């Protein structure tokens, strides 16, 4: 089988590219190891939801263990790794918070003397944020003073929950920045989809189709327009010709049978763990260390936003499990670097819903018997009485934090498993500590009588970034500013691997915008594109 | 046709007896909430959990074997120290079964995640009461932006 463009992975970034290129007349094939997920299968509207989140609908592939999942060795990671393998990728389970990087995020080296600058500025990406906001149907309110002026969102913001309203009032009283959340959840009918019904189960898939996961927003259309999406196709390696050009990929179907697809251009979109895994498992002539890896940086500089959830408990009932699971309101008050603090960079805060009784019942501290009257007391105190703030600290890129191939673990097709080695750095720990202190103040001034802070050991990282960074210099980066690998001129990367720095916002909006930018670049420059 | 596993296939009788005793220690009656045995948790409620997540059954059986016929609070405390995963599994299965029961939901007020139609007509209060108008650019973001603008970056 041959095609113009072969996309490896069928997630969020891949959907944006597949639809864009097929509309421009290219023949596009995509290999996705998972399948379509039937929205009727999502557990949100069933009594099993809380159990489902901890079993077959867990975001942790090591817990979920679906046939489409590959094992991830996290024995040397401070936190677990969360992702989804199927059409739509992790957007199937994402919380749908849709936030842009700030202008300063593209220039961290210039501003703070640490990490690196991106090879693009905020001005290069802004038009693509606006394009993909329309494609995904973002609900939000324009005019946030944290950002440069631009187009308004296509849909009005989602309603605030009681928790969002209370924290907006508190931030207002404290004189802190806040803004209604922008989310990839439709608040009105849009693009043949019906609006959100605020069930709050977004992170186990949206049965209503209101959440803008890319299976809904892009893949259905892309396939209808002629993209050949091969599901159950697990890619083992990228093939390379003797003259160093990518020629296609080798994959296994669900029966373990090996196939190959030839292509003029190959695009990696397997995510921040999946892409380095495949590249490290591929070889170019004369290179023993994986494909597109002359810099030695494939898999390195992994950043994960090791978030903290801090929950304040209030005497009065707030029914705080009830709201969409995106950002109700956000605050960038402590975003970016304050020269007077003992750390660089900062964090984003979002008010999110709390969960049902199982969450409280299963999170009792060890020091007392976590059962019997203690358990009832805890659930009684917490259920519906909490306000949760998710704090995303900016992780700086460090080479020791990395994705490698596992020596002794394999997936069901015999491909080496991924291994993530990750430690929360000193700088990130300081950001976390500072922000937990500020969030405690805010929650207390809102009236909370008790505060709980999540433990990294029981949390997971959902933002998998930086493992094939973008840059101008082939010695210190994997792809150029268009996502083209420096080493292989017809091999591109468009997923979250290419982030230079992580910022402190959820990455999906930026992943989508960068994928759109590369797609249009490819389309406009196809005549000059070198092919195998 | 899906064939439902029989109760005995999900959990053998001996383990069920241990589970009933364990569940009553984990979830005694409290301020109007039923105890595990009041709702016969080790019967249909636990079958419901194991039918939904059959992969939990072998681990549950292992945890119950570890409890054996020891005094339950003592066995649980030992698990708390030496086998947290085993204890967590007991808690997960029992609490999932418990909080899904209608009589328990009646008391807690949590009936699962409920849907609500968004009221399109309602104008957000923050647009009317001036709160949003007062919000200003976050200080570090604004400073960084100004620095970059000045440098033409
Ligand atoms: C629980 C959860 C909550 C999140 N919440 C948010 C949020 O609120 N806001 C936000 O901005 N971001 C959020 N994210 C992150 C966001 O979903 C990701 O950043 C985004 O989906 C990344 O897009 P991607 O294209 O890089 O990878 P993905 O969307 O993950 O797609 C990668 C695809 O590649 C496939 N693949 C991998 N390896 C192979 C192989 N060998 N062969 C074939 N196919 C392969 C996978 O199956 C997958 O479908 C969340 C993620 C999770 C897991
Ligand atoms: S809250 Fe809205 S977006 Fe989330 S699952 Fe429910 S309907 Fe879907």
């Amino acid at each position: 089988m041959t095609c113009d463009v072969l996309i490896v992975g069928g997630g969020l970034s891949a959907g944006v590219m597949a639809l864009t290129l097929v509309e421009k007349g290219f023949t596009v094939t995509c290999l996705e190891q998972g399948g379509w997920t039937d929205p009727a299968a999502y557990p949100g509207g069933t009594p099993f939801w809380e159990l489902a989140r901890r079993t077959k609908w867990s975001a942790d592939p090591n817990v979920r263990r679906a046939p489409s999942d590959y094992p991830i060795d996290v024995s040397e990671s401070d936190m677990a790794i969360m992702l989804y393998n199927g059409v739509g990728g992790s957007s199937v389970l994402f919380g749908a918070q849709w936030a842009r990087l700030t202008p300063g995020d593209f220039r961290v080296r210039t501003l703070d003397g640490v990490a690196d600058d991106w090879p693009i500025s905020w001005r290069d990406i802004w038009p693509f944020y606006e394009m993909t906001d329309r494609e995904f149907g973002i609900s939000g309110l324009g005019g946030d003073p944290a950002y440069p002026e631009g187009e308004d969102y296509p849909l009005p913001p989602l309603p605030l929950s009681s928790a969002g309203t209370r924290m907006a009032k508190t931030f207002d009283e404290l004189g802190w920045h806040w803004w209604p959340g922008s989310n990839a959840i439709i608040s009105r009918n849009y693009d043949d989809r019906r609006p959100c019904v605020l069930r709050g189960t977004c992170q186990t898939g949206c049965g209503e189709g209101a959440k803008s996961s890319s299976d809904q927003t892009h893949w259905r259309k892309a396939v209808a327009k002629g993209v050949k999406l091969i599901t159950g196709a697990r890619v083992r390696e990228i093939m390379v010709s003797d003259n160093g050009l990518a020629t296609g990929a080798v994959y296994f179907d669900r029966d373990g049978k090996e196939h190959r697809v030839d292509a003029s251009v190959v695009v990696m979109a397997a995510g921040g763990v999946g892409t380095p895994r495949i590249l490290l498992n591929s070889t170019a002539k004369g290179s023993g260390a994986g494909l597109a890896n002359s810099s030695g940086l494939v898999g390195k500089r992994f950043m994960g936003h090791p978030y903290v959830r801090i929950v304040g408990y209030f005497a009065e009932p707030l029914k705080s499990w009830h709201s969409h699971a995106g950002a109700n309101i956000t605050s960038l008050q402590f975003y970016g670097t304050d020269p007077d603090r003992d750390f660089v960079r900062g964090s984003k805060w979002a008010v999110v819903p709390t969960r049902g009784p199982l969450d409280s019942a299963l999170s009792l501290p060890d020091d007392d018997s976590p059962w019997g009257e203690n358990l009832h007391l805890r659930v009684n105190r917490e259920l519906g009485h909490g306000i949760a703030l998710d704090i995303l600290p900016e992780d700086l890129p460090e080479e020791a934090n990395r994705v490698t191939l596992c020596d002794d673990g394999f997936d069901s097709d015999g491909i080496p498993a991924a291994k993530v080695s990750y430690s929360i750095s000193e700088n990130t720990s300081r950001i976390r500590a500072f922000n937990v202190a500020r969030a405690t103040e805010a929650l207390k001034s809102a009236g909370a009588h008790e505060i709980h802070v999540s433990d990294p050991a029981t949390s997971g990282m959902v933002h998998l970034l930086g493992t094939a960074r973008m840059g101008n210099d082939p010695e210190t980066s994997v792809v150029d500013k268009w996502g083209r690998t420096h080493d292989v001129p017809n091999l591109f990367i468009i997923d979250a691997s290419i982030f230079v720095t992580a910022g402190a916002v959820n990455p999906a909006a930026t992943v989508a915008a960068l994928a759109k930018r590369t797609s249009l670049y490819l389309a406009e420059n196809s005549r000059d594109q070198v092919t195998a | 046709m899906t064939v439902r596993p029989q109760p005995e296939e999900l959990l053998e009788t001996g383990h069920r007896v241990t589970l009933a005793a364990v569940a009553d220690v984990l979830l005694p009656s409290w301020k109007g909430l039923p105890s595990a045995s009041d709702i016969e948790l080790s019967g249909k409620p636990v079958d419901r959990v194991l039918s939904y997540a059959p992969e939990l059954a072998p681990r549950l059986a292992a945890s119950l074997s570890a409890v054996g016929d020891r005094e339950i609070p003592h066995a649980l405390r030992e698990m708390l120290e030496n086998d947290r995963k085993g204890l967590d599994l007991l808690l997960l299965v029992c609490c999932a079964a418990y909080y899904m029961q209608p009589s328990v939901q009646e008391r807690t007020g949590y009936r699962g995640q409920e849907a609500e139609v968004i009221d399109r007509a309602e104008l957000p209060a923050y647009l009317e009461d001036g709160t949003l108008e007062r919000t200003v650019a976050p200080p570090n973001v604004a400073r960084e932006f100004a620095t970059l603008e000045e440098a033409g970056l």
Side-chain angles (χ1 to χ4, degrees):
Chain A
M1 191 196 306
T2 56
C3 58
D4 294 337
V5 179
L6 172 66
I7 308 177
V8 176
L12 185 140
S13 57
V16 171
M17 174 171 272
L19 182 59
T20 306
L21 290 184
V22 78
E23 284 176 343
K24 296 273 178 196
F26 291 81
T27 58
V28 181
T29 298
C30 174
L31 299 172
E32 165 53 50
Q33 65 189 341
W36 288 91
T37 315
D38 177 3
Y42 295 132
T46 75
F48 296 101
W49 178 64
E50 288 206 275
L51 176 63
R53 281 187 52 238
R54 289 175 165 75
T55 52
K56 59 183 85 169
W57 285 99
S58 168
D60 182 341
N62 291 344
V63 173
R64 195 171 56 224
R65 290 166 176 259
S68 54
D69 291 322
Y70 55 95
I72 302 180
D73 178 351
V74 289
S75 56
E76 289 176 21
S77 173
D78 285 349
M79 287 171 86
I81 298 294
M82 309 293 191
L83 48 76
Y84 189 70
N85 296 311
V87 178
S90 296
S91 71
V92 169
L93 298 189
F94 80 161
Q97 296 189 36
W98 197 259
R100 296 178 186 181
L101 290 169
T102 66
D105 288 326
F106 295 90
R107 293 285 176 269
V108 174
R109 181 98 206 160
T110 300
L111 290 166
D112 295 324
V114 295
D116 297 277
D117 288 347
W118 290 56
I120 58 173
S121 82
W122 70 273
R123 286 181 207 282
D124 296 314
I125 196 174
W126 232 249
F128 302 96
Y129 276 137
E130 291 172 348
M131 280 179 219
T132 43
D133 280 359
R134 290 192 293 273
E135 290 180 10
F136 281 86
I138 306 305
S139 299
L141 188 70
D144 184 345
Y147 288 100
E149 279 173 22
E151 249 178 42
D152 202 350
Y153 295 102
L155 291 166
L158 292 154
L160 297 198
S161 62
S162 54
T165 305
R166 183 177 284 224
M167 289 317 291
K169 186 167 168 283
T170 303
F171 293 156
D172 179 46
E173 283 162 6
L174 290 166
W176 290 359
H177 168 265
W178 76 276
W179 202 254
S182 45
N183 293 291
I185 296 174
I186 54 174
S187 57
R188 301 284 185 271
N189 287 341
Y190 191 77
D191 203 15
D192 278 340
R193 291 187 290 133
R194 292 224 302 268
C196 174
V197 296
L198 305 175
R199 190 177 266 124
T201 55
C202 320
Q203 292 201 19
T204 48
C206 174
E208 318 293 325
K211 190 177 79 168
S212 302
S213 50
S214 74
D215 52 334
Q216 297 293 329
T217 53
H218 290 76
W219 278 111
R220 284 187 313 176
K221 289 181 200 162
V223 170
K225 290 184 178 189
V227 169
K228 189 166 174 55
L229 170 61
I230 305 178
T231 56
R234 181 175 274 141
V235 173
R236 184 185 68 201
E237 63 179 291
I238 305 305
M239 299 178 301
V240 188
S241 64
D242 285 348
N243 59 351
L245 291 168
T247 56
V250 178
Y251 74 92
F252 294 108
D253 66 20
R254 287 241 167 88
D255 299 322
K257 209 168 145 218
E258 196 176 304
H259 303 263
R260 56 182 283 171
V261 179
D262 297 322
S264 304
V265 171
V266 177
V267 179
M268 301 301 299
V273 173
T275 283
R277 176 181 182 230
I278 298 168
L279 292 179
L280 291 171
N281 201 43
S282 308
T283 36
K285 212 174 168 191
S287 135
L291 189 60
N293 195 20
S294 63
S295 63
L297 286 176
V298 170
K300 292 187 180 156
R301 296 167 58 106
F302 171 81
M303 297 168 282
H305 286 154
Y307 82 102
V308 193
R309 173 161 297 180
I310 172 159
V311 187
Y313 292 100
F314 295 74
E316 63 275 29
L318 298 163
K319 209 184 171 195
S320 49
W321 62 74
H322 184 67
S323 161
H324 62 84
N328 230 274
I329 64 167
T330 56
S331 173
L332 299 192
Q333 182 64 23
F334 302 108
Y335 203 94
T337 299
D338 179 337
D340 292 335
R341 294 188 194 129
D342 64 349
F343 55 84
V344 290
R345 311 312 296 160
S347 69
K348 172 198 164 216
W349 296 13
V351 174
V352 295
T354 57
R355 300 195 179 115
L358 256 193
D359 245 45
S360 304
L362 301 180
S363 57
L364 251 72
D366 287 7
D367 47 5
D368 209 347
S369 322
W371 56 75
E373 192 181 8
N374 286 345
L375 190 156
H376 284 310
L377 270 169
R378 171 91 170 220
V379 174
N380 187 53
R381 220 169 38 230
E382 293 187 356
L383 180 62
H385 290 260
I387 292 185
L389 288 169
D390 271 1
I391 297 175
L392 279 192
E394 176 161 352
D395 237 356
L396 294 173
E398 301 192 23
E399 290 196 17
N401 289 337
R402 63 193 187 279
V403 176
T404 51
L405 294 179
C406 198
D407 294 333
D408 52 3
F410 300 88
D411 66 21
S412 52
D413 291 305
I415 305 170
K419 174 169 182 167
V420 175
S421 309
Y422 175 83
S423 316
I424 299 176
S425 71
E426 180 58 31
N427 191 66
T428 306
S429 298
R430 287 181 188 193
I431 299 178
R432 284 165 59 110
F434 173 86
N435 281 273
V436 165
R438 297 293 80 70
T440 303
E441 282 164 24
L443 287 165
K444 285 200 167 151
S445 76
H449 58 77
E450 194 182 326
I451 306 283
H452 287 175
V453 181
S454 66
D455 173 2
T458 55
S459 320
M461 289 183 285
V462 297
H463 302 156
L464 315 174
L465 315 168
T467 47
R469 70 156 286 203
M470 197 190 252
N472 291 325
D473 181 353
E475 287 190 7
T476 57
S477 58
V478 180
V479 297
D480 70 9
K481 65 178 179 176
W482 298 107
R484 188 200 309 263
T485 60
H486 293 298
D487 296 354
V488 185
N490 66 336
L491 176 67
F492 288 73
I493 307 178
I494 54 166
D495 57 45
S497 319
I498 63 179
F499 278 43
V500 179
T501 54
V505 294
N506 320 63
T510 305
V511 174
L514 290 172
K516 187 78 189 173
R517 185 171 171 270
T518 294
S519 307
L520 292 175
Y521 170 83
L522 253 176
E524 280 155 22
N525 296 280
S526 61
R527 285 197 184 167
D528 306 326
Q529 175 62 50
V530 182
T531 58
Chain B
M1 190 178 76
T2 3
V3 182
R4 283 182 185 280
Q6 292 303 301
E8 183 61 20
E9 289 171 36
L10 293 168
L11 197 63
E12 64 182 56
T13 313
H15 282 143
R16 232 176 251 280
V17 173
T18 313
L19 179 68
V22 168
D24 254 354
V25 175
L26 298 180
L27 294 155
S29 63
W30 187 81
K31 292 196 174 175
L33 278 164
S35 68
S37 52
D38 290 339
I39 58 162
E40 295 179 33
L41 185 139
S42 62
K44 279 195 177 134
V46 95
D47 288 348
R48 205 172 168 207
V49 169
L50 295 180
S51 302
Y52 184 80
E55 71 277 13
L56 299 180
R59 286 157 57 203
L60 176 64
S63 290
L64 293 168
S65 295
V67 173
D69 49 14
R70 286 183 298 161
E71 193 225 350
I72 308 264
H74 175 76
L76 292 178
R77 254 190 297 279
E78 210 173 86
M79 285 177 104
L80 181 62
E81 271 167 37
N82 305 321
D83 180 16
R84 184 68 213 225
K85 279 193 175 159
L87 175 64
D88 285 347
L89 204 263
L90 288 177
L91 280 163
L92 171 65
V93 172
C94 293
C95 292
Y98 187 76
Y99 290 109
M100 276 199 285
Q101 279 308 104
S103 58
V104 175
Q105 295 194 331
E106 190 117 332
R107 301 291 310 182
T108 59
Y110 178 82
R111 292 178 189 81
Q113 300 292 122
E114 289 160 329
E116 176 197 327
V117 175
I118 294 177
D119 182 352
R120 292 159 184 236
E122 200 185 345
L123 202 63
Y126 54 77
L127 289 179
E128 296 187 303
D129 64 13
T131 14
L132 195 69
E133 231 171 278
R134 282 192 291 274
T135 200
V136 289
N140 308 326
V141 172
R143 192 175 42 252
E144 289 177 355
F145 188 41
T147 309
L148 295 177
E149 286 289 275
E150 214 177 282
L153 294 166

